Every structure is written in C-alpha cells, then in structure tokens.
Amino acid sequence: METDETDRVLPFQLQFDKPVASQVKIAEWNPEKDLLAMVTEDSKILLHRFNWQRLWTISPGRNITSLCWRPDGKAIAVGLEDGTISLHDVENGKLLRSLKSHTVAVVCLNWEEEGQLIRDDSKNSSSYEDRTSRFFPPAPRVPRMPGVVSGDTGFMDDSEDSYRELSNSSYQRFNILCSGDKDGSIYFSIFGIFPIGKINIHKFSVPTPFIDKQTPRQILNSSIYKVSLSKDLCRLIVMCSGELNENTESRESQMVRQGLHSLVLDTSIFWKRKSELHQLAQQASNIEDLTEVIRASLSVMCKQWSDAMHTFHEKFDSLSTLIIDHALDSTPQEEFLSLLGGARTSSAVHQFLVNSLGEVGVKRVLKVICGTAKELQRIVLDHLQPAAEIIGFRMGELRGLSRWRARYHGIGLDEMLINNATEKSGMILVQIERFMRVLSSVEQQFSNFFNWLLKCIKLLMQEPSDQLLPYNSELVVIFLKFLYDQDPVKQLLEVDHDIEVDLETMQRVKELVQFGGFSDCEYLQRTLAKEFQQMEDSFKEAFLMPFTTISRKMLCEDLLPLFPLPSSSSSASVSMAIPMSISYYEDASQAVSSHQTCQHSFVDYVCFQVPDEPFSDIANCIGVIRGFTHDLSSSKNGYTLLEAVLLYVPAGYECVDLSLYKDSQIVLLLNGASASSESSGDACMMIVQASELPFISISRFTDLNLWNLYQLKDSTVQLQMENEKVRNIPHSVIAPLAVSASRGVACVYAARKRALVYILEEDEEEVPDTE
C-alpha cells in the first residue's frame, strides 16, 4: 500500500515552499513564461519567476480587484477599484497605458486572442500592412519636462520600446480584452488599448429558445463574477448573479428570483470583421497615442514659456514701481520710447537700467527667453509637428477605408465623421506653422529689444559699445507697442482665447473654401490649443460610432440559471465564497466550411462549487457543465447538447478553489473539514479528468420555475481519494489556486502566509527550468 501511495503522489512534485510577506488574494501564471503575478491584501503586485526569484514589485496606490495577462505574456492588465484598468510591462512593471472605461470596480478581466495571425497568407484571411513606416520615421515620444526624472510623470524612457510595441499591433494576433465591473457592465478593447464595445447585462432581454411560448427575461441588480471569451472570439460566457425577472403577460405571474446565472453572448462580430477591426484599431490607437504626444507637448511648451515670461516680468515690473515712486505720469513703454527718441533719461529709467537691471540682468533675461524659444521650437520640430503629420496620414488611411462602405460601414466607420476628423487633423498643421512663425517673430523682437537695452546701459555707464550687436529702432517701437505687455505666444497656447481677424482676411478665406479641400472658414480665429481641442473632439466623435455599432451587434443568446441565492447575499461575498472557472477546448472533429463563421469549434466547460445553503440535499458538490455554447445552434432543431454532472467532494473535505486545466481536466483544492488551526490541517490537491465523467443531458423543455441543477441530484459522481490523482498538503490552504495550463504547475497558498509550488505533469520533460 505504501508503494501505491508513493506512486500516486509522484505526479505532484513539490518544488518550493516559500513565505510571502502578505496574504495573496489574486494569482495568475504568465501564459508564455515561467512567471507568477500575485496581488497581496495590501494591493501590491509581485512578479516571481518559477524559482521564486522576485523580479519587481509595484503598488498602484488603489485597491486591486482583478488581474490577467496579455496572451503573449508581454503585458499584464490590472483592474482597480475606481474602474481604471492599467497595463504594465512584464519586464519592469512600468505603466504602459491607463484606461478609464468603467466607473466602478473592475471585478474580472479576460484577455483572449484569435488563433490565426492577421498576416497569415491564407486566402480566407485579409492581410494588413501598416504603411506609415514607409513614409515616416518612428513616431515621436512624449516630451519630458526639463528637470523631471524619468518615471516621475509616467513617461517612458527613450530606451524602452514597450509602450511603442503595445500600439504596434501590425504583427500581433488579433486579441480582445474583456473587463467586467460590479454593476454589470462589460467593456471590450482591441489589443487592450482601443475600446470597441460595451454591454450591460441587466439591459438585455434574454430569449427562451426552449419554451414554446417565448417569455422575455431580464437580470436585474446584476453583478458580474467571471467572463470568458471563446478562443475563436465568437462567444462570451458570463457568470453573474442577479434577480431573474420573467415577464409574462399578466403582472400577477411575474417572477423575480435571486440566483447565480450563466449567460452566453454572441460576439461573432469580432471574428467576422476581425480584419476590418484590426485596421481600425491599429490606426485609431496610434492616433490616440500621438494625440497624447501633442497634448503633452502643448502642456510642456505652455509651462516653459510661462516660466520665461515670469522671469521677464519679475525684472521689468519693478520699473512701474520706480515710476510711481518718482511721481512720474507715464508708463514704462512711454519712458522707453522717450529714451529711444533721444530725450533726456528720466531718473526712474536710469535707476532701473543701471542699478536694478544692469548688463548682467539683461543678458540673463535674454538668455532665458531666447533659450526657451529655442526649446519650444525643438519640441515642435521633434514632437508636435511629427505627431501631427503622422496623425494626418493615418486619418487619410481611415478616410480611404471609410469610403469602402461594403466592408467598413458595418463596423461603424462613418465617412462624414472621418472626413471631418481628417480636416481637423490638417488644420492642426496649419496652426503649428502659424505658431512657429509667431514664435520666431517674438524671439526676434525680444532679442532686438534687449540688444537696444544693452546699448543704452553702456551709454549710461559711459562704457564702449562698439562690440554690441546692432538693433533695429523700428522693431523696438513695435515691441514696445505690441509685445511689452502682451504675449501672443501664450495666447496661442490657451484654449479660451479668440484671435481677432480683419474682415478682408476672412473674406479671402471664404473665397479659398470655394476651391475645395477644406470647409472651415474660422480656423484663423482659433488658437493652437483650441484647434487641438476641436481635433480631439472630432476624433472622439468619429471613433465613438464604431464603439456604438459593435455594442449593438453583441446580443445575449441564452441564459442558464444555475442555482438560487439567498436574497441577503451580497455580490462581494458571493464572488469570494463560490469558486468557479470557465474554459474552452478545441473540438477537432467539427469542421467549418465558411470563413464567415467561427474558425474552429470549441467545447466550453463551466465549473463551479454548489453552495450548501439552497441545496442541502446535494451539499458539498462541484457542478460541471459543458456544451453551453453548442446548445445554441441545436436549440433551433428542437434538441439540446447541454450536458452536466455533479461531483461529490470526498467526505471530510470542502472545496476551497478550483480551476479548469488543459485536456478537460479540473484541479480541485480541498481543505480538511477538521482542521484545528490555520497553521495546521489536512488539505489536498486533486485532478479530475472532466471529459471522462458520466455527463447527462439537461432538458431545457421545462418550466423556468425549476433550477437545472435539481435534475442532477439523482445522478452524481462520488470522488474517491484512491481513484483520482491526489497530492496531500500538510497545511490548511486558502484561495486562490493558480494553475498554469501551458507550464503544468500550480501554486497553492497556505493560511500561514506560505506559497507552495507544485509540478502537475507526470512527464519530467515538461517540468519548467528552474535555473
């Protein structure tokens, strides 16, 4: 017997037993690498290698509520309590992107990719090449504020390419990030960065295809616990709780029941239009990145120029004080004009130029203003203008796509909105050119004015001035009249300022409109910042149309009530108390003849623990359902493929957590019911081959008053410790159970703040390298 016991536990090799500083509440294995991401109770994210070497630790500063990896393992998505989703680089944990689609806590994330490369040469798939790199150098980065250390503002280092790679999706597999919040809303983002759709499960009227008399159903006060997109992107299974409202013809027969439900949503639009959506997301996400470059450039430019003008006014405002102190009835401009005209220098101006300002002060202010002007020109040439030029090119690409109405009208690419956004992207280039002319002129005017002041100071101090730069008297007059107390550069960087344009110029612009190419006659009256704001608004309006169109095409196809819940159960307690898992396994026997349908056939498995309170007669059970999505097509033919089975947990144990594993296996984490303390106990990990279980068909031709699980209470399977793959754990264990399907390892957490890593594979060749 001892030999048999030893053979039985060998497949579960304990590799590490390591302490953790804080209790772990979320854990996910990287799908491509031997990396484990963990979220602690104090909302820190830890990344460990398989050999338990810690790579980095980050703290978002807010409560973390969900976590998932990008399918290629190069980025991790983190859901926060305030509704934010942040994407972090796997190499160093730095923030790559922050999305604020939700308004409440993001309770679940699922990131799935389609199995075929967009660049595949298959005749049934449309290849797509991003042509921007043919005509433009690499896109500019966000400018860094002088004196700011890298990372202080969330800007990426110039040496880091992770942010750029996040948006460079030309050669990525098409993938969708699904995020669900506690109010029942689910958002979809292409490549995790471009929002493309939203659904709210409590606004759906769910069909009842298995009942002769169609009865619309709705889930009220819903809360989402888990979402899982199929590998062909055609179906989304949602586990949620809420009040199932069945509206019949009479109000008296209306029924509202609180329970846990499983929904199937039709998301086949992602498969059918994946090429079009890929191109849209590629262009739009890059446009949004470049829009951030322009916004940051304007912000940095405004800050730097304001600081330079503050230095100027800090020095020259003292002249006004001296004029008042000397009881003179004049302005600084008038005093300077008198000095320029050869009149006798007033005592106030003499004191200001010789004592207050001096030659050193003039040179200092001149250096600050001219240096800032040069820096603004550099920002425009290196960041602002290249970003605007690439935006214009990408909008031109989208404009061409929008005219292909047969393909792109169906995903909401509206030609009129795109044309408007394209014109706005062209106008921003016109405004940038005007800004550069104004900036250059202002710099020249300041330089000429200060050269004259240096000449005046030398003459007042009776020092030689032959080596000073020459100046233009007319330009000094223009500066004193129009620039001394005005700031045209700052005005162009402000949103709430209107530029006065004479009637003759406006008439000429209207005449130019008649030749075509643009329709906006008022662009000269707007500042650069105002033009950017209008361009950004036009982008939001244009990209909102695909978002709205795709959202309308995702429909709820079926609902499966799983079990009732007490009306007093809160959403938070339900999600934490009921372990559940969803996975899809490819069914190679099913062939698909058309590229307009899903590429592969997948069998879905939904696994969950049955709560004891409403099901006292089938307590301590695990429910397994398969074929929920397959059931949709068969329903039209009047039969069901939905199958289910109930598994009795071995006596003396209770399920702590569970996870669907590869090849239709279920990994169960069980705790001994008689544990005397948190630090000691009799726990185990068990693997069950789900595909070999005696599933039975669930009849859907039944009154909705009955919960489907009641049909299974006479046909349950008793799990036996001696018949399954089991590994005993000499500690009391807690959720979560982290299982890596690609690497064949599992991480179990003990209640005494320890992490235990096990190898699940029997074949030693599959053991991850610990070096």
Side-chain angles (χ1 to χ4, degrees), residues 240-479:
C240 63
S241 69
E243 300 172 355
L244 182 58
N245 184 12
E246 299 165 15
N247 297 307
T248 57
E249 294 181 356
S250 61
R251 290 181 175 267
E252 292 76 10
S253 59
Q254 185 177 11
M255 295 172 290
V256 178
R257 298 173 297 178
Q258 176 78 17
L260 186 70
H261 316 285
S262 183
L263 290 172
V264 175
L265 305 181
D266 179 10
T267 58
S268 58
I269 184 67
F270 294 139
W271 167 261
K272 296 175 181 177
R273 298 293 186 177
K274 63 178 181 177
S275 180
E276 293 88 340
L277 290 172
H278 179 272
Q279 296 179 59
L280 170 63
Q282 171 70 32
Q283 300 291 0
S285 60
N286 276 275
I287 287 172
E288 290 179 352
D289 291 343
L290 295 167
T291 302
E292 291 298 322
V293 173
I294 296 180
R295 177 185 290 105
S297 299
L298 293 175
S299 177
V300 171
M301 291 163 58
C302 186
K303 176 66 168 58
Q304 291 190 358
W305 187 255
S306 296
D307 291 345
M309 289 296 98
H310 175 75
T311 302
F312 171 76
H313 291 295
E314 188 179 32
K315 286 290 185 181
F316 281 79
D317 285 351
S318 61
L319 177 58
S320 300
T321 304
L322 290 173
I323 291 175
I324 296 174
D325 292 342
H326 287 79
L328 298 176
D329 187 17
S330 60
T331 63
Q333 295 95 315
E334 291 172 346
E335 290 292 329
F336 281 132
L337 287 172
S338 297
L339 180 61
L340 180 65
R344 183 175 178 275
T345 306
S346 67
S347 56
V349 173
H350 188 281
Q351 181 179 348
F352 171 73
L353 293 177
V354 175
N355 299 330
S356 300
L357 185 60
E359 181 181 354
V360 175
V362 171
K363 291 182 178 180
R364 177 178 174 269
V365 177
L366 174 62
K367 181 179 179 181
V368 169
I369 293 179
C370 292
T372 301
K374 291 289 192 298
E375 179 64 19
L376 263 60
Q377 291 172 352
R378 185 194 65 80
I379 293 175
V380 170
L381 296 177
D382 293 348
H383 300 275
L384 184 59
Q385 186 169 333
E389 289 173 351
I390 299 177
I391 285 177
F393 178 82
R394 290 191 177 278
M395 285 306 307
E397 296 278 88
L398 285 177
R399 185 180 185 183
L401 296 178
S402 68
R403 294 182 175 182
W404 194 351
R405 297 180 57 85
R407 287 189 62 178
Y408 290 92
H409 184 73
I411 64 169
L413 203 59
D414 186 87
E415 183 178 357
M416 183 178 66
L417 296 177
I418 294 296
N419 286 341
N420 178 58
T422 304
E423 180 175 332
K424 293 298 182 183
S425 65
M427 287 301 177
I428 197 72
L429 287 170
V430 175
Q431 296 285 5
I432 290 173
E433 183 180 354
R434 178 169 69 169
F435 176 82
M436 288 292 283
R437 290 201 306 267
V438 171
L439 180 62
S440 178
S441 175
V442 169
E443 179 192 7
Q444 181 184 4
Q445 295 278 4
F446 267 102
S447 179
N448 182 78
F449 174 70
F450 283 117
N451 289 336
W452 172 69
L453 283 183
L454 286 174
K455 183 85 170 180
C456 293
I457 293 174
K458 289 289 187 180
L459 293 175
L460 291 174
M461 299 180 66
Q462 298 181 353
E463 296 179 358
S465 58
D466 299 337
Q467 297 182 355
L468 294 177
L469 295 175
Y471 65 90
N472 187 312
S473 300
E474 294 181 0
L475 293 181
V476 173
V477 174
I478 294 175
F479 176 86

Side-chain angles (χ1 to χ4, degrees), residues 429-606:
L429 287 170
V430 175
Q431 296 285 5
I432 290 173
E433 183 180 354
R434 178 169 69 169
F435 176 82
M436 288 292 283
R437 290 201 306 267
V438 171
L439 180 62
S440 178
S441 175
V442 169
E443 179 192 7
Q444 181 184 4
Q445 295 278 4
F446 267 102
S447 179
N448 182 78
F449 174 70
F450 283 117
N451 289 336
W452 172 69
L453 283 183
L454 286 174
K455 183 85 170 180
C456 293
I457 293 174
K458 289 289 187 180
L459 293 175
L460 291 174
M461 299 180 66
Q462 298 181 353
E463 296 179 358
S465 58
D466 299 337
Q467 297 182 355
L468 294 177
L469 295 175
Y471 65 90
N472 187 312
S473 300
E474 294 181 0
L475 293 181
V476 173
V477 174
I478 294 175
F479 176 86
L480 292 173
K481 287 186 175 181
F482 301 104
L483 293 179
Y484 185 86
D485 56 356
Q486 299 181 41
D487 191 351
V489 174
K490 183 181 178 181
Q491 291 173 358
L492 291 176
L493 296 175
E494 293 178 341
V495 175
D496 55 351
H497 183 82
D498 293 327
I499 299 176
E500 294 183 4
V501 182
D502 59 88
L503 296 177
E504 183 180 355
T505 302
M506 290 297 297
Q507 183 61 35
R508 290 180 180 179
V509 172
K510 293 179 181 179
E511 292 174 358
L512 289 175
V513 170
Q514 304 301 321
F515 291 95
F518 71 101
S519 58
D520 188 356
C521 299
E522 300 177 354
Y523 71 93
L524 289 177
Q525 297 175 307
R526 295 191 293 269
T527 65
L528 174 60
K530 184 67 174 180
E531 195 70 59
F532 169 72
Q533 184 185 68
Q534 290 200 3
M535 182 188 74
E536 191 176 21
D537 291 341
S538 69
F539 290 166
K540 291 180 180 179
E541 184 180 13
F543 298 148
L544 180 62
M545 185 60 71
F547 182 91
T548 305
T549 302
I550 298 299
S551 299
R552 287 198 300 261
K553 293 190 176 184
M554 291 185 289
L555 304 175
C556 184
E557 292 189 326
D558 198 5
L559 179 146
L560 180 64
L562 297 178
F563 49 79
L565 291 172
S567 58
S568 60
S569 297
S570 66
S571 60
S573 62
V574 172
S575 62
M576 293 300 295
I578 302 178
M580 57 186 72
S581 182
I582 307 172
S583 190
Y584 300 85
Y585 303 102
E586 186 173 344
D587 185 0
S589 62
Q590 299 291 330
V592 178
S593 58
S594 174
H595 70 279
Q596 291 297 325
T597 59
C598 300
Q599 182 185 14
H600 299 288
S601 178
F602 293 90
V603 179
D604 57 277
Y605 280 77
V606 179

Side-chain angles (χ1 to χ4, degrees), residues 66-100:
S66 53
L67 187 79
C68 81
W69 287 95
R70 196 169 77 173
D72 62 5
K74 295 181 179 180
I76 189 169
V78 180
L80 303 177
E81 191 174 33
D82 64 352
T84 302
I85 300 174
S86 58
L87 306 183
H88 295 265
D89 183 14
V90 67
E91 297 296 333
N92 48 32
K94 285 202 171 183
L95 180 66
L96 301 176
R97 181 71 67 90
S98 183
L99 307 175
K100 193 65 170 71

Side-chain angles (χ1 to χ4, degrees), residues 12 23 75 134 202 319 330 424 464 536 654 672 702 706 765 767:
F12 304 88
Q23 194 61 63
R134 291 187 183 184
H202 69 257
L319 177 58
S330 60
K424 293 298 182 183
E536 191 176 21
E654 58 184 7
T702 181
L706 299 178
E765 294 180 358
V767 176

Side-chain angles (χ1 to χ4, degrees), residues 640-695:
T640 175
L641 291 179
L642 183 64
E643 298 178 312
V645 65
L646 284 179
L647 308 178
Y648 270 120
V649 175
Y653 288 89
E654 58 184 7
C655 181
V656 174
D657 204 354
L658 55 84
S659 177
L660 283 160
Y661 186 46
K662 61 183 179 180
D663 299 328
S664 308
Q665 298 180 87
I666 307 173
V667 182
L668 303 177
L669 185 62
L670 307 178
N671 239 354
S674 59
S676 58
S677 66
E678 287 189 351
S679 60
S680 64
D682 179 21
C684 69
M685 185 165 49
M686 176 185 294
I687 290 185
V688 179
Q689 187 64 44
S691 59
E692 298 177 358
L693 294 173
F695 285 89

